[in-house]
Each structure stands twice: as structure tokens, then as C-alpha cells.
């Protein structure tokens, strides 16, 4: 009881509505609850650091490829072992040509020497994804500086049947942005200019290679904010975000990119430039084709420019790190938060105790904001609003009410930018901690919220002590990141995971890819989430738009339907 | 000054933050401002009446077709005169078969007698749109009760090359939901069941024929609300809303249907049922094909079921009816509202004084909520939030601040449901008032907000005293409804309007269809808003999905590309 009263007194100092705290002073209150003072400027969101995965390791030599259990040949057949979902018998399609010296000469002619990259170190980095889980063997990276150059590249590649993989920040987790074999890498890194920003409407138009965090910083100076935020913001590019329909932390507030992307420019495989770069909130002239390119992972065209609706930056941001004893409490807390904080709720993330333990054990300088009692679940609730005192009061009242109702068993409110950054680092550091812990099988699933955690529990029973099964993710969006961590990749364990995890997801009408895309990892698994008739239509559209199948081959859809 | 002080005192009685009112008591304040007490339950939104256009006139006999200057033949060539955008030389395509007695017999076999409608009165109503502006000459209306029946109908029609027009509530304004010639009308009215509702996630799954208002009432009982609201809610159907990507009054708060529709089921021309009826907030498995059907006006498939994310119903709704002296003030007010009311802003509508005069002159029982001073513009601002006292306080403080800044010259806050309903009726009654005033050329345009009203002014100069040019719409979304009212349709005036209005819109990178769709009216005008390469891809997709072009022919895209 003493801590309960202490916490209440701490809150009272900053609290206008003292009545909501009475519960804490009532002897019948048995919950332990610790609050720090809350309230800090919204700018912390832009200032907070994302050591990883926003800054993925670029020194690939320091990574032990052998330990990852994968061998990548130069061309021909790649052998993937001990990996989650990659078919062992995937072969390079004979329909694609190999690069000749004439091709190189042509590219140098249209792009200049500097944008035609054959340097081994550069290629080594661009051939591997940031987890070093997928690796191709491309010998050529092209770095166009304009839509016209992208168009010329694709027109030529299409005429020569040269396969291409578009690459943004290369922070994806499903092998979508690296070559599978010797595809030409088309990097968008040099197309990184802001084209226009309208301070009346908040509409930003920029090139595809702009880094998400840079766009955020730019908007911050204008009094606006990005509707998208994710751990990889320091490296990922907006074109890649759009092409993979990235979700992230703010989806619960601002919705998906299908809503916030107002327009885009894309180059088709034959070099045709589709100017759909509208800057209008509403446009019902014909079919809204931009949506085909949002989330098609560069397999229908290369996104070269993007027009985005950005919301005004609101003045106050608050962040709470909370403990819940069971998953049902997390669910109820979500429902209550939607109803009571609906106006200002901007994130609702959850992690289980296994996730927290991983972060505490493997990342330096991370500490648990709460006393080291045993809690089963942790929730981060962020609010973003226009009125600091009101927002804080509202969040505090909500938290106290939820504690009274037994939904929260302990909690802390960040008192400044550094504390908020530390809280976020726990959530965002989980992927890095998993990598440091050894091998990891990663699944990004959408499921009905009430079923979501059952899968984690079932996997624990299924795998016993052979693996550490952790669950975390965007509870507010019904998006579970199921991760299975073990010392090294193991075929026997893998056989226990797949196809079971996909079958389970399918049985509960979930999605086997919530926000990460299909990439190479899940291209052949699409039937677990989509009906055959729908997949057939997808394949027909792919053939219509890219008849030679040069764009990002072997990915997104089952290769047998396309190549 | 006296009224100013009186208004301030009235407000003071309900106002907690007295400081914001000081301006009103300051002798330098010269604005007149009248507030009624504010604050009322959110339920008014569901209770308020929409006499029209939610209940369009069904007694077509009372309408003078001859006065509308149009003749509709039985089949063959329809002659459209004095109408805005309909090609006079549009001919029935010879590729389509005509209905035979065998066809009727087949439909009766699969649907039963009652769902095969040849009754003249029923057909008269279904052949004409609610404005009586477009009229076809179909001899057959089919009313399926299930997806399977829709599938059987389309499969048969496709095999026989019988053209089909899908019909929802038939409240569209561009001739998209009525036959052009003798197409078979497929009415979705009998598919009107709610399939499921998840009270945890707020996800509603229902059949396409559900009337929007009925869905709102259903959700109200569950503590949720529809993310879509429009004047025609009493008649329009959710399948039609989705197929036309309807915008409406709440888009500024909840975004477009591309964001809130989680999934749908659609039947293709060949009878294939596409089950994309996901109920997940995030799903990145392959191409997100549902977006092709959102806004394609039934030309790619018939939407049979819809899954929607609905937000929790929030406890407090406030509505203000405000006067502004110039358009720049309206714009500035919008920017301020986004920034200061961003958490709770749920509508920002505007109308000019010509619009208000029309409503006051032609609709019975409508009165101006403000004293009869001359103001040039009027704005409706609605807030929806979770805290009645806070929301009211916030809105009032915002309005007083805006008055101090000279953005608002007068205003009233609705004090109860009836008053709110009366305020909304002014805005929503404009289309009906225009119809009663005589002939009207209607344009639904998206434009950059700062340019939007320039078009109204230019049209006034261009047309002089020959027409009454009015402008109103969804300022928050950059959506202008430009309406040109005159005693009767007039080719000379029409020649002054088109193509000028489209050229002007195109020059300012606007959209010639913001939320109404292309329908028959604008099918051939698409190049004003879309690049030829994009239109070409649209046509290729149409041919891929509907090779016989039986679905809603002559509409959406230029017929020459399709038929």
C-alpha cells in the first residue's frame, strides 16, 4: 500500500483533477502502481535515437555467415538451409539473360560511370539483407538520379530480358529487397529530394529514395509530422515503405499508407512512366491504380515519387510503459483505450515477458522502467494531442481507472524525452536482441486480437524447451510478431514450426504477412491467406504489367505462376 | 458592442476558462458574435432527418421530363440535350445481345419468379436516377438474394453477351447506376443483411445492399459509428458507397473508404467470386486487389459483401454554424481548426451566400441561424470527442480565438439535436434546393484549397447574369461542389461552361471527379485528370477482368477504349 500512496502523491503534484486519484488513497486499493511525472514535447519522437534496426550493421564482415547456415553461390542454384521458408530447389530462371559488357557500356552511357557500380564491397552490402539472412549474387548495381534514368534502365532491361531488383533502404525482413540470383540491383538512394511541401494542406511530394527519418525532420521544421513511424526509420526509404505498405507504430492513429499516400509515380517494366502523382485528398477519376503499387514490393513497377498527406504536429506527446498480468487484460486495456483515449491515442504496443527479458539480457544500457517484479505482459501507450495539460490529465485518469479495474498491475509515465526514448528502445530493440541471442525464425501475422496470443502459447507447448518463443507487436492493429529464438538454426525445430504456423493462421482467417510483405520468404505461401481465384487475378495483373517478369522475380507471388 | 457582450455573458455561464472571453469584453472588439449554448449527445447524428437527398422523389410521374429537355428512346440511340456532359452521339453497342424469352426463363429458374422484375412502374423508377437527369430503357430488373445468385446471373450474361448495370440505392449524380440503353439492372436491394459484428475490434461485415443509415443505427446500438456519412444515407447502399468510393462529411476525420474498407467480396463478369472479405487491419499478402473495386463503379465486378472498420461512438458532438467575410478567412479557419481541433475535428464544410439563399428560398422550414446580416461565406465545424465538457470548452475557445483574429464574423453553436439537425439541413439541403430552382449543371471537383473558390468567381464573370453560380462542399478535403443554376437547360450557357470547367480544373492539377465518380457523365473526360498512360492501363485491366465489357458499359472510361 505504501507504494500506492507514494505514487498517488507524486501524481497529485501535477494533477488538476484530484478526484480521480482518490482510489489510490483508499485502503481497498491493493494494486502497486508507480508513476513518474509525465508530459514532454512532441519533438522527442524525432530526437529519440533508434540505434537499431534504424541503423542496421553495415560491416558485414563482422557477421558470421557460416553460423547463419546459408550458402550463396555466384549464380545457378542458391542453397538455403536452416531458413524459415525458402524453397531449397529454387532455380534461376532461364528466361533471363546474363549481363554482358555491352550492357555495362549502355548503362554507363545513360547513367554515367559513377552510377554503374561493380565495386565488390558495395555489391556485398547490397546483395545481403540487414539480417544477413538472404543473400544474392548480383554483379551490378545501378543508381539512377531521375525518373527518366529509371525509365531508360527498365526499358533496356525489358528489351534484353535482364531481371531487376529494386532496392530502397534494404531494411526488409522477408528477402524482398535483395537479389535472389544475379538480378541487377536498382538502388533508389540517389533520388532523395523533397520536391514540394504545401503548408496549407500538409501535402509532401518527394522522391522515392528519401530516408523516412529525414522526411520526419524536414516536416518537423514545418510544423507537420510523418504519418508513418517504424524502427528502421534511420535507413528505410519512403519508396520502399510505400512499395511494402509498411505499417509501423502510428497506424492505429493515422491509418495505412493506402489512406495517406495521395499519389505516386511509378515506372513499369517497359519503361512507361505512370504519373499518378496527385496531391488531392479526393480523386475518383477512374480506377485508383496507385493502390496496386502500394504493397506490391516492386514487382509491378518501381515507385519513383510519392505524394503524402501529413498531419500537423501536435503539441503534446505522452508515453506510458505498463505491466499487465494476463493477455486478457491487455485486450481489455486496448478496448478501453480506444474508447477513452480515441481522440489522442497514437500507439498501443505490447510485448511479453520473454521479449523484455531478451532485451534486458542482450542490449546494453537498457533497463526495466518498472521494479523487477514478475509481470507477464507489458504495454506501451502513447498519446498525441494538441493540449498538454488536458492530454496528460486524460491519460493519467485513464491509467488510474484501468488500475482500479485491475487491468494494469504497474506502470510508469515517461517524464522527459530521454525516458520516452528509453521506453521506446525496449520495444524497438527486440529485433536486435533476437539477432544477438542467436538464430531466429520470424513471423509477422495479422490475427483477430482475441486469438493472437494463443498461437504463442501453442508454439511454446509444441516446441518445449528447444526454443524461446516470444510474442510482441502492434496490439492495436491485431499484428503479432511471433519470433522463435534458438542458439542456431535447426531443421528439426523448423519442421515443427512450418507449415504449422501458417496453417494455424489460415484456420483463424489471419494473414501470414501483416506488414512485412511476402518477399522471397513467403511468395509460395500466399494460399494460406488468399483464395486461389484472387491469387490467379494477381498473377494475371502481374503478367499484364510485366510480361517478361523482369521486376523482382521469385517474390511476392508463387514463381510457378509467373516465371 | 452590446451584442458582443451579451454573447460573451451567455457563454460565460457555461464556460470554465473565462480568460479566453476577455477579448469580447474589450472595447476594441468590434466583431458581432452570437453563441447559443452548445453540447449535445452524439446520437443526434443518427436521429437527424435527411428529407432529401436521402429520400429522393420516388413519384416520377410528378416530374416534368419534357422540361428536363431529354428524350429517352426504348433502345437504339438516346438523345441527350441540354445536359452537361453526355455525348449526343452515344450509340448502343452491337456487341451486346438483346434479351429473349429464353433468357427470362433462365433467370426465373435460377432466381424464382419474384426476383425477375418486368413490372413497368418498378422499371420506370429503376431506369431513372434520382435527379431524373439520366434515364435508360431497361426491360428487366433482377434482384438476387445471394452471392451465388449474382454469380449465376453474371456467368450467364457473360456467356450471352448481355450487358448489365449494377444498382445500389441509385442516389449517384453522374448517371453511373442507371442503364444507358437496355442493360439488365441487377439490384442489390435484397442483399441487406449484417453478417457479423465484432465488438472488440469494431469490424462490421455485411451484404452490399445494406442501407447506410440502417448500418449506422445498428452500430449505434453496439456503441460504434459508421466512418462514412452523407446526405443520401437514408437510401444509398454500402455496396454502392464502396463501388463509388463515396466521400461525404466525415472523410476529414476517418479518411476514405480505401482506408476503412478492410475487405470485400466481388463477383467478376464471368461469375468468378473473389473472396477478399478479410477482417484484418493489416494484410500484406500479395497485391491488395480490393482497391480496384473501390471506386470502379461496378465496371470491374459487382461488390456483394463488405468488411468495414468502424470507430467507437464517441460521447460528445458539437456543431457550429459560422459566418466568414471572405474565402481567405475560411481557408485560415480550416488551417487553425486542423491544428487546434485536430484531435476532435470531424467535419469542416463550407457554403457561399448564394448557396444559403437558395436553401432559404426553396426549402420550407429552413431558417438562417444567424441574424440576417450579409455574409459572404458560411462554415460548419463539427467536433466529435470523448469528453463533453472538454470538447465544448476547446471548441468555444477556438471559436473565440478565431473571432478575435477576425476569421469569423458571426456564429452559432447548436444547443441540442434539433438545432444541430437544422444546421446540417442547410448544408445537406443545397442539392434539393438547386433542383427546385430549375435546371442545374453540377460539378464535383477536387482542387488545391487556395485555388478552389477562384473557379466559382471566374464562372460568375464568364456567365454574367445568365446563371446563378454557387459553390459549397467539403473544404477540409479540398472538394468543391460547383453548381450552376438557371431556369432551364440552355445549350448556349452549357457551351460557356464546358469544356472550360474541366480545362480550368486540369490546369490547376485538380480532379474532375472528387467523390461522385465518372459514371456516364464524365467517362470521356478522364484525360483532364489522368495521364494517357494511366488511362491505358485502366483500360487494359478492364479488358483483362471483363473481356466482353458487359459490366456497366459506356461508363467510367471512354467507351472507345473498351467497347
Amino acid at each position: 500500500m505504501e507504494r500506492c500512496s507514494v505514487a498517488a502523491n507524486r501524481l497529485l503534484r501535477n494533477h488538476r483533477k484530484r478526484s480521480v486519484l482518490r482510489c489510490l488513497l483508499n485502503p481497498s486499493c491493493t494494486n502497486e502502481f508507480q508513476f513518474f511525472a509525465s508530459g514532454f514535447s512532441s519533438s522527442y519522437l524525432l530526437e529519440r535515437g533508434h540505434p537499431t534496426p534504424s541503423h542496421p550493421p553495415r560491416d558485414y564482415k563482422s557477421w558470421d555467415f557460416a553460423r547463419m547456415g546459408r550458402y550463396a553461390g555466384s549464380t545457378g542454384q542458391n542453397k538455403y538451409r536452416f531458413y524459415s521458408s525458402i524453397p531449397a530447389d529454387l532455380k534461376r530462371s532461364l528466361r533471363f539473360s546474363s549481363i554482358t559488357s555491352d550492357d555495362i557500356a549502355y548503362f554507363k552511357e545513360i547513367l554515367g560511370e559513377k552510377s554503374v557500380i561493380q565495386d565488390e564491397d558495395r555489391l556485398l552490402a547490397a546483395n545481403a539483407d540487414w539480417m544477413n539472412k538472404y543473400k544474392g549474387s548480383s554483379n551490378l548495381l545501378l543508381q539512377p538520379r531521375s525518373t527518366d534514368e529509371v525509365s531508360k534502365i527498365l526499358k533496356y532491361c525489358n528489351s534484353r530480358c535482364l531481371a531487376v531488383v529494386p532496392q530502397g533502404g534494404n531494411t526488409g525482413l522477408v528477402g524482398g529487397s535483395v537479389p535472389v540470383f544475379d538480378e541487377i540491383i536498382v538502388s533508389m538512394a540517389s533520388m532523395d529530394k523533397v520536391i514540394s511541401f504545401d503548408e496549407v494542406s500538409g501535402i509532401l511530394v518527394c522522391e522515392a529514395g528519401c530516408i523516412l527519418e529525414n522526411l520526419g525532420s524536414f516536416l518537423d521544421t514545418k510544423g507537420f509530422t510523418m504519418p508513418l513511424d517504424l524502427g528502421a526509420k534511420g535507413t528505410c526509404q519512403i519508396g520502399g515503405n510505400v512499395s511494402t505498405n509498411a505499417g509501423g507504430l502510428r497506424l492505429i492513429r493515422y491509418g495505412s499508407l493506402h489512406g495517406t499516400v495521395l499519389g505516386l509515380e511509378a515506372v513499369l517494366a517497359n519503361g512507361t512512366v505512370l504519373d499518378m502523382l496527385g496531391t488531392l485528398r479526393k480523386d475518383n477519376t477512374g480506377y485508383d491504380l496507385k493502390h496496386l503499387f502500394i504493397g506490391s514490393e516492386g514487382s509491378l513497377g518501381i515507385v519513383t515519387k510519392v505524394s503524402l498527406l501529413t498531419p500537423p504536429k501536435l503539441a503534446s506527446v505522452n508515453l506510458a510503459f505498463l505491466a499487465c498480468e494476463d493477455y486478457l487484460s491487455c485486450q481489455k486495456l486496448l478496448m478501453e483505450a480506444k474508447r477513452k483515449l480515441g481522440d489522442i491515442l497514437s500507439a498501443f504496443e505490447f510485448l511479453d515477458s520473454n521479449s523484455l527479458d531478451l532485451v534486458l539480457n542482450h542490449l546494453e544500457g537498457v533497463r526495466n522502467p518498472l521494479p523487477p517484479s514478475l509481470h507477464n505482459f507489458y504495454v506501451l501507450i502513447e498519446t498525441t494531442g494538441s493540449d498538454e495539460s488536458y492530454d496528460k490529465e486524460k491519460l493519467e485518469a485513464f491509467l488510474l481507472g484501468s488500475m482500479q479495474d485491475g487491468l494494469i498491475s504497474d506502470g510508469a509515465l515517461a517524464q522527459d524525452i530521454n525516458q520516452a526514448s528509453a521506453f521506446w528502445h525496449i520495444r524497438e530493440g527486440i529485433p536486435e536482441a533476437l539477432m544477438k541471442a542467436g538464430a531466429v525464425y520470424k513471423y509477422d501475422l495479422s490475427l483477430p486480437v482475441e486469438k493472437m496470443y494463443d498461437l504463442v502459447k501453442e508454439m511454446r507447448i509444441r516446441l518445449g524447451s528447444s526454443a524461446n518463443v516470444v510474442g510482441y507487436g502492434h496490439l492495436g492493429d491485431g499484428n503479432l510478431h511471433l519470433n522463435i529464438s534458438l542458439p542456431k538454426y535447426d531443421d528439426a525445430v523448423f519442421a515443427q514450426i512450418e507449415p504449422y504456423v501458417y496453417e494455424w493462421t489460415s484456420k483463424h482467417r489471419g494473414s501470414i504477412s501483416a506488414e512485412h510483405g511476402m518477399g522471397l520468404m513467403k511468395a509460395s505461401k500466399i494460399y494460406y491467406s488468399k483464395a486461389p481465384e484472387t491469387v490467379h487475378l494477381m498473377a494475371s495483373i502481374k503478367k499484364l504489367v510485366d510480361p517478361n517478369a523482369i521486376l523482382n522475380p521469385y517474390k511476392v507471388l508463387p514463381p510457378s505462376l509467373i516465371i
Side-chain angles (χ1 to χ4, degrees), chain A:
Chain A
M1 262 316 294
E2 197 194 349
R3 283 202 38 233
C4 195
S5 301
V6 168
N9 286 329
R10 206 165 15 225
L11 258 181
L12 277 167
R13 287 196 293 273
N14 292 316
H15 214 285
R16 288 190 293 155
K17 271 193 179 171
R18 296 180 183 224
S19 59
V20 298
L21 293 173
R22 276 182 217 129
C23 65
L24 286 170
L25 307 171
N26 185 323
S28 66
C29 166
T30 55
N31 285 316
E32 286 195 330
F33 203 89
Q34 182 180 4
F35 272 115
F36 300 103
S38 70
F40 40 86
S41 146
S42 64
S43 60
Y44 92 82
L45 278 174
L46 290 159
E47 290 171 21
R48 75 177 195 262
H50 295 271
T52 54
S54 65
H55 305 296
R58 282 291 172 219
D59 178 15
Y60 289 95
K61 286 170 191 162
S62 69
W63 288 82
D64 182 358
F65 277 83
R67 186 179 65 78
M68 309 295 279
R70 175 174 38 74
Y71 158 80
S74 57
T75 60
Q77 185 168 347
N78 275 1
K79 290 185 179 142
Y80 295 94
R81 293 195 63 246
F82 304 134
Y83 279 90
S84 41
S85 305
I86 306 155
D89 57 350
L90 188 65
K91 289 183 181 166
R92 182 185 182 283
S93 170
L94 295 175
R95 73 154 63 189
F96 298 126
S97 310
S98 293
I99 298 165
T100 66
S101 55
D102 284 352
D103 298 329
I104 302 288
Y106 177 77
F107 291 129
K108 285 183 177 174
E109 186 188 321
I110 60 166
L111 303 175
E113 291 270 347
K114 279 189 181 169
S115 299
V116 179
I117 295 154
Q118 295 174 285
D119 171 76
E120 264 191 31
D121 282 349
R122 292 282 302 277
L123 284 168
L124 189 64
N127 265 306
D129 76 313
W130 82 270
M131 298 186 301
N132 282 315
K133 192 168 177 181
Y134 302 92
K135 186 167 183 287
S137 49
S138 176
N139 297 310
L140 182 62
L141 183 149
L142 304 176
Q143 201 154 306
R145 286 154 303 180
S146 68
T147 301
D148 184 54
E149 289 186 355
V150 175
S151 171
K152 283 177 177 156
I153 290 169
L154 291 191
K155 187 174 181 183
Y156 182 82
C157 289
N158 193 47
S159 70
R160 283 270 296 120
C161 253
L162 288 163
V164 163
V165 54
Q167 190 171 82
N170 195 14
T171 57
L173 298 167
V174 291
S177 58
V178 288
V180 182
F181 301 103
D182 61 342
E183 300 91 275
I184 296 171
I185 302 165
V186 176
S187 164
M188 301 305 289
S190 292
M191 290 185 66
D192 61 351
K193 287 176 279 303
V194 170
I195 298 167
S196 67
F197 181 71
D198 181 336
E199 298 191 28
V200 176
S201 61
I203 294 167
L204 171 76
V205 182
C206 65
E207 290 184 321
C210 290
I211 288 171
L212 183 61
E213 194 165 48
N214 295 348
L215 292 176
S217 303
F218 169 81
L219 289 173
D220 192 51
T221 65
K222 305 286 184 185
F224 286 78
T225 193
M226 282 298 285
L228 176 73
D229 184 28
L230 57 155
K233 69 198 290 185
T235 306
C236 67
Q237 297 171 8
I238 190 67
N241 298 147
V242 168
S243 298
T244 57
N245 189 28
L249 304 166
R250 293 185 191 164
L251 192 132
I252 194 171
R253 174 64 169 267
Y254 298 117
S256 90
L257 288 169
H258 284 288
T260 50
V261 170
L262 297 183
L264 53 81
E265 178 188 79
V267 183
L268 302 184
N270 65 4
T272 298
V273 178
L274 289 188
D275 175 5
M276 302 174 290
L277 200 59
T279 54
L280 304 164
R281 184 89 194 253
K282 288 175 170 175
D283 179 14
N284 278 357
T285 46
Y287 311 150
D288 201 345
L289 296 185
K290 69 171 180 280
H291 295 287
L292 276 179
F293 298 88
I294 299 172
S296 57
E297 304 179 50
S299 67
L300 294 180
I302 297 184
V303 172
T304 44
K305 288 175 191 147
V306 177
S307 161
L308 270 167
L309 182 68
T310 71
K313 186 174 72 171
L314 298 177
S316 91
V317 181
N318 289 286
L319 183 65
F321 187 90
L322 310 165
C324 300
E325 285 323 299
D326 51 46
Y327 182 68
L328 190 61
S329 297
C330 300
Q331 275 184 69
K332 287 182 178 169
L333 194 64
L334 171 63
M335 281 180 70
E336 287 297 299
K338 279 186 179 174
R339 205 166 287 278
K340 293 183 178 159
L341 302 173
D343 327 356
I344 55 173
L345 184 67
S346 54
F348 195 108
E349 299 288 306
F350 94 111
L351 49 147
D352 60 14
S353 57
N354 295 36
S355 304
L356 181 65
D357 290 345
L358 265 170
V359 173
L360 296 176
N361 292 335
H362 292 280
L363 299 192
E364 280 181 24
V366 177
R367 70 172 193 88
N368 187 348
L370 305 178
S373 308
L374 187 67
H375 302 288
N376 294 313
F377 294 92
Y378 299 89
V379 167
L380 278 107
I381 293 182
E382 187 192 67
T383 63
T384 306
S386 59
D387 185 323
E388 193 165 330
S389 65
Y390 169 75
D391 293 350
K392 191 164 43 173
E393 186 181 305
K394 192 168 189 177
L395 177 60
E396 286 170 355
F398 166 75
L399 294 175
L400 291 169
S402 301
M403 190 185 67
Q404 263 189 295
D405 295 342
L407 302 181
I408 301 171
S409 49
D410 205 345
L413 269 167
Q415 63 185 331
D416 58 25
I417 293 170
N418 293 335
Q419 215 168 62
S421 181
F423 288 10
W424 271 121
H425 188 45
I426 294 169
R427 165 63 186 86
E428 293 179 331
I430 302 171
E432 187 193 359
L434 282 159
M435 295 235 329
K436 291 192 170 170
V440 58
Y441 297 106
K442 297 179 83 69
Y443 299 92
D444 160 49
L445 310 166
S446 269
L447 285 163
V449 173
E450 62 274 20
K451 293 281 176 197
M452 215 163 94
Y453 205 73
D454 290 350
L455 177 58
V456 180
K457 291 191 280 188
E458 288 198 27
M459 288 308 296
R460 280 190 188 134
I461 293 167
R462 195 171 168 87
L463 300 179
S465 60
S466 62
N468 180 20
V469 181
V470 310
Y472 64 96
H474 316 290
L475 197 71
D477 316 324
N479 183 183
L480 171 71
H481 294 315
L482 169 72
N483 282 249
I484 296 160
S485 170
L486 58 173
K488 61 178 187 176
Y489 289 99
D490 183 325
D491 278 350
V493 173
F494 182 56
Q496 288 288 305
I497 302 171
E498 290 192 23
Y500 181 81
V501 68
Y502 294 129
E503 288 168 352
W504 198 97
T505 304
S506 182
K507 194 172 91 182
H508 293 93
R509 286 189 73 89
S511 166
I512 62 162
S513 177
E515 61 174 9
H516 292 174
M518 305 299 276
L520 179 60
M521 176 182 173
K522 290 175 278 189
S524 295
K525 313 289 181 192
I526 195 167
Y527 297 108
Y528 285 108
S529 286
K530 287 285 188 291
E533 298 81 6
T534 311
V535 177
H536 176 78
L537 182 53
M538 291 180 198
S540 300
I541 289 173
K542 166 73 177 174
K543 287 176 187 167
L544 175 74
V545 178
D546 179 18
N548 293 330
I550 63 162
L551 283 172
N552 222 1
Y554 320 107
K555 297 170 188 168
V556 190
L557 298 176
S560 59
L561 293 182
I562 307 296
I563 302 175

